[in-house]
Amino acid sequence: MAHGHHHHHGHDHGAADPESGPLPEALDLAVPDAELSPAQLSRRGMLRSAGLLGAGIAGAGLVAGAATPAAAVGPAGRGGGGGRRLRWLAGDHHIHTQFSSDGMYRVGDQVRNGARFGLDWMVITDHGSVNHSRIGVEKVNPEIRAARETHDDTLVFQGLEWNIPSAEHGTVFVHPGRDEVRVLKQFETDYDGSVNNASGNSPANEALAIAGLDFLAEQVRRRKVQDALMLANHPARQGVDSPHEIRGWRDAQPRIAVGFEGAPGHQAAGIAEPHGPGGGRGYYAGSPGPNSFPGYPAESYRTWGGFDWMTATVGGLWDSLLSEGKPWWISANSDSHANYADASARPEGSDFDTNGYHDDPVYAGTGLNLSAGDFWPGQYSRTHVGSTDFSYAAVMEGIRRGRVWVDHGGLIAGFDAQLRGGGRSVTLGDTLLVRRGTKVELRLEIELAHTPNWATFLPRLARVDVIRGAVTGEPSDRDTFHAPDTRVVKSFDVDETEGTVTFTYDLGRVSEPAYVRVRGTDGKRSQVGLGGANIDPAGPALDVLGDADPWEDLWFYANPIWVLPE
C-alpha cells in the first residue's frame, strides 16, 4: 500500500493546547436551554440565528453525535471502521425512461445497466407534465416494483423530475411504500410548474414552489411516506435558479430541499464530431433568457471540468451558501435519456400522448448512436453516499446528512475525510464542535483507482485541493453568490499510482467558525479560477463547446465539513 504523507503547518506550536474535555455548555446540545445561564443562552441563540447551531446545521439533523470522540468515522471504499461504520453506496438520482416524452428505455434497462456499472441505488425521475401526472406516474410504478424484485441488490426509488415553479428542474423522490404513487401524483398535479402554467418568474410562482416543498414535508409528518427529498437539477444551465430562490427552498424545508447537482448529466454531449454530438457537456450551451437571473455572468452558462459553475467556482454560489453555516449538498448523475453509442431506438408508431409512454425500444439497425449525449447510469458519474446500512432509509438519510462525494470516470475508488480536534472526529457533512483555540486537522484517505473505467483505461489522480472558507452567517443580500473569504489553501500532488494515499492539512488553532471541502483532478485541464490566482490558482477549465471529451478531464468533489469553536 502506497502512502503519501503531506503536512501543512500554519499555527503556533508554542501555545498550550486547550483542554479536550467537555464542550462549552452553549455548544453542548445535550445541555437543555433551561439549564444555561443568561449569557450562555444568549450565545447559543446567536449561534442558532446565524445558522451555526440548532436552527441551521443541527436543525437538519447534522450535529448529532459530533461531540462523541471518533464519531462518523468511515474508511475509503465500501468498508467501515471507527466509531460508526458506513457503507459507501454509489448511485444516481436523475434517470429517465420511456415514460418521459424525450426518453426511450424501459425501467428494467436502466436498472440492469446501472447495476452492471456498479450502482447500488437509483431514482427513476420521468419528466413532470400534464401527461405524466395523468398517466405516467401510475403506469411506471409496476415497472419499478418489478425492478426491485428482479434486482434485490439495487435500491430503486420512484421519483419525478419536478418543473420547479419560477425555476429549473429538480429531482423529487420518496421512500417506497403504499402511498408513494398517490403522494407523487398529488404533488405533481398541484405543484409542478408545467402542469400549473407556473414556469415564469413571479412571486406567486416562487410561493408555489415553497408550497410544494411544504406539501412533501406534510406527507412525511402525516406518515403518508416515510421520507422525501428534493435536489435541484442542472441549476446554472439556463440561469433561472436565482440565489434567493435556492436559499428560499433550503430555508423553508431544510429536511426536504437538501442540495443541487454539482455536476449535471449529459456528459457525453461534449465529445467532438464525428465521434460524438459536438455540443456542450451537460448540454450547457445556452445564454441568458427572459427568466434568467440578471446577475449571473456569461461563464455560468457553461460547465467547468464537467461541473456546474455554481459548484466549480471557488468562492462562488455554493461557497456563498456554505459560508452561512447551513447545509447544502452536491451530487452527480447521468440524466440518462438516450445513451451514447447505444444501438437501440424508439419504434415507429409510438403514441406517447395517448399512452403516456413510448413503446419498448428496438434495435435500430443503423449503427451506434454517436449523436446521443448521455451515459448509462453509473457509466461515468457516481454519487457515493455514506449509509449506515443497505436500505432506502439509510441512503436518504446519508444524502440529507451530506455524507456524499462524487466522481467522474472512476477517478478514485474510495474517499474518507475526517476533521479532528479536541479528542473528536467528524466526517463529511458534519460539524466539529471544539473549544476556541483547539488544534484542528483535516485527514484525507483516498483509495486510488485500481481497475479500468468504462472507457477501458485506469484513471490517475494527479492533485488534491483543500478549500477553506469562513462562516459569516446570514447574508444581507439573499441574491449574493460570492464568498470572498473562501480559497484553495493547500494542494497535494499525488505521486503514487496504486494503493491508498493519505494527506493531512493543519487548520491551526481555530478561533472562528469555518468549513473545509475537497476536490481532486487528473490534472489534464486546469485554469485560474474566476476569483483569480490567489483564490484558485489551478481550478477546472471552462469546457469548450463541441470539443470537451469528458474522459480526458476527470474530477471528484466532496461535501464540506464545518468546525465551530467556542
Side-chain angles (χ1 to χ4, degrees):
M1 184 178 293
H3 292 271
H5 296 274
H6 302 259
H7 300 270
H8 175 75
H9 299 281
H11 62 275
D12 178 10
H13 291 275
D17 283 339
E19 293 182 7
S20 59
L23 286 165
E25 291 184 334
L27 289 186
D28 190 347
L29 298 179
V31 179
D33 286 359
E35 296 182 12
L36 298 179
S37 70
Q40 292 167 335
L41 186 61
S42 175
R43 179 61 175 164
R44 179 177 286 184
M46 186 187 74
L47 293 169
R48 280 177 171 155
S49 65
L52 299 175
L53 191 69
I57 296 172
L62 302 175
V63 171
T68 303
V73 175
R78 293 173 178 262
R84 179 170 61 199
R85 299 179 68 87
L86 296 176
R87 300 180 62 176
W88 290 94
L89 304 179
D92 186 324
H93 72 76
H94 192 174
I95 301 169
H96 294 268
T97 74
Q98 63 196 121
F99 293 89
S100 287
S101 60
D102 52 358
M104 61 181 287
Y105 302 113
R106 293 163 292 202
V107 171
D109 297 330
Q110 296 285 35
V111 174
R112 175 169 55 87
N113 281 284
R116 175 168 69 98
F117 289 119
L119 295 189
D120 303 292
W121 60 272
M122 287 169 263
V123 187
I124 302 302
T125 56
D126 291 306
H127 286 293
S129 65
V130 172
N131 209 1
H132 185 260
S133 65
R134 183 173 59 90
I135 302 174
V137 69
E138 291 177 318
K139 286 200 171 185
V140 73
N141 184 257
E143 304 296 324
I144 291 173
R145 290 179 177 271
R148 291 170 182 163
E149 293 294 325
T150 303
H151 300 273
D152 58 4
D153 58 349
T154 305
L155 303 170
V156 185
F157 294 89
Q158 181 168 355
L160 59 90
E161 185 161 26
W162 182 29
N163 297 291
I164 306 173
S166 190
E168 251 274 12
H169 300 164
T171 286
V172 167
F173 67 107
V174 299
H175 190 286
R178 180 184 59 192
D179 289 324
E180 61 184 327
V181 171
R182 187 196 65 77
V183 168
L184 288 170
K185 184 179 181 72
Q186 185 176 347
F187 171 81
E188 185 176 2
T189 300
D190 293 347
Y191 303 105
D192 185 84
S194 177
V195 173
N196 292 278
N197 193 27
S199 298
N201 284 349
S202 73
N205 289 347
E206 291 186 18
L208 184 63
I210 299 299
L213 297 173
D214 291 343
F215 168 82
L216 292 173
E218 178 67 9
Q219 303 314 296
V220 176
R221 189 190 68 80
R222 295 172 58 194
R223 300 183 180 177
K224 297 299 183 181
V225 289
Q226 183 173 325
D227 205 353
L229 289 174
M230 189 281 274
L231 298 111
N233 295 338
H234 36 75
R237 188 176 68 179
Q238 298 184 68
V240 296
D241 289 2
S242 66
H244 76 264
E245 286 176 285
I246 295 172
R247 287 184 167 94
W249 307 330
R250 179 203 61 188
D251 293 347
Q253 292 295 341
R255 292 188 58 81
I256 303 293
V258 297
F260 55 36
E261 289 180 354
H266 307 309
Q267 290 286 325
I271 299 174
E273 294 179 323
H275 305 296
R281 291 175 75 172
Y283 290 132
Y284 278 51
S287 57
N291 290 312
S292 299
F293 177 66
Y296 289 150
E299 295 89 346
S300 69
Y301 294 86
R302 301 290 182 268
T303 52
W304 296 72
F307 277 72
D308 186 286
W309 163 86
M310 294 184 183
T311 294
T313 303
V314 175
L317 193 145
W318 187 34
D319 285 313
S320 178
L321 297 170
L322 299 180
S323 70
E324 297 176 44
K326 296 180 181 179
W328 191 253
W329 315 126
I330 62 167
S331 63
N333 48 71
S334 64
D335 199 355
S336 171
H337 290 71
N339 296 329
Y340 178 74
D342 185 37
S344 60
R346 293 191 203 106
E348 293 184 7
S350 282
D351 188 349
F352 183 88
D353 290 339
T354 299
N355 298 327
Y357 60 87
H358 291 292
D359 292 340
D360 291 352
V362 298
Y363 175 61
T366 56
L368 302 181
N369 184 357
L370 300 184
S371 64
D374 308 341
F375 289 114
W376 289 105
Q379 186 180 7
Y380 183 77
S381 303
R382 301 180 297 175
T383 295
H384 306 261
V385 178
S387 305
T388 53
D389 58 57
F390 184 78
S391 69
Y392 290 95
V395 168
M396 296 186 82
E397 187 60 17
I399 293 172
R400 174 176 290 112
R401 294 174 67 95
R403 295 193 298 255
V404 172
W405 61 273
V406 305
D407 76 311
H408 281 164
L411 177 58
I412 58 175
F415 177 81
D416 179 51
Q418 298 294 320
L419 196 61
R420 299 174 172 180
R424 302 172 179 87
S425 178
V426 298
T427 191
L428 300 177
D430 219 329
T431 305
L432 180 67
L433 306 177
V434 296
R435 288 182 172 273
R436 189 178 301 274
T438 298
K439 290 182 181 179
V440 175
E441 78 168 16
L442 175 67
R443 184 181 186 276
L444 307 175
E445 182 179 340
I446 302 170
E447 183 182 349
L448 301 176
H450 45 72
T451 56
N453 59 23
W454 296 105
T456 72
F457 69 89
L458 185 67
R460 180 179 175 184
L461 181 66
R463 193 184 76 246
V464 176
D465 298 325
V466 178
I467 297 162
R468 180 174 179 174
V471 175
T472 54
E474 293 276 1
S476 57
D477 178 5
R478 287 178 65 82
D479 270 325
T480 187
F481 53 89
H482 297 292
D485 295 322
T486 301
R487 66 195 65 243
V488 176
V489 291
K490 183 64 178 178
S491 293
F492 301 105
D493 292 326
V494 181
D495 300 323
E496 293 82 351
T497 58
E498 61 182 14
T500 301
V501 294
T502 59
F503 305 108
T504 59
Y505 165 69
D506 197 329
L507 280 72
R509 297 184 182 278
V510 177
S511 59
E512 300 295 335
Y515 68 91
V516 289
R517 62 180 181 89
V518 178
R519 72 183 182 197
T521 176
D522 62 1
K524 293 182 178 179
R525 294 187 68 238
S526 289
Q527 72 176 70
V528 173
L530 290 176
N534 62 325
I535 299 294
D536 189 7
L542 178 69
D543 288 316
V544 178
L545 294 184
D547 188 13
D549 186 341
W551 297 102
E552 291 296 313
D553 188 14
L554 304 180
W555 292 78
F556 82 83
Y557 282 67
N559 273 318
I561 312 175
W562 283 269
V563 57
L564 178 56
E566 175 62 14

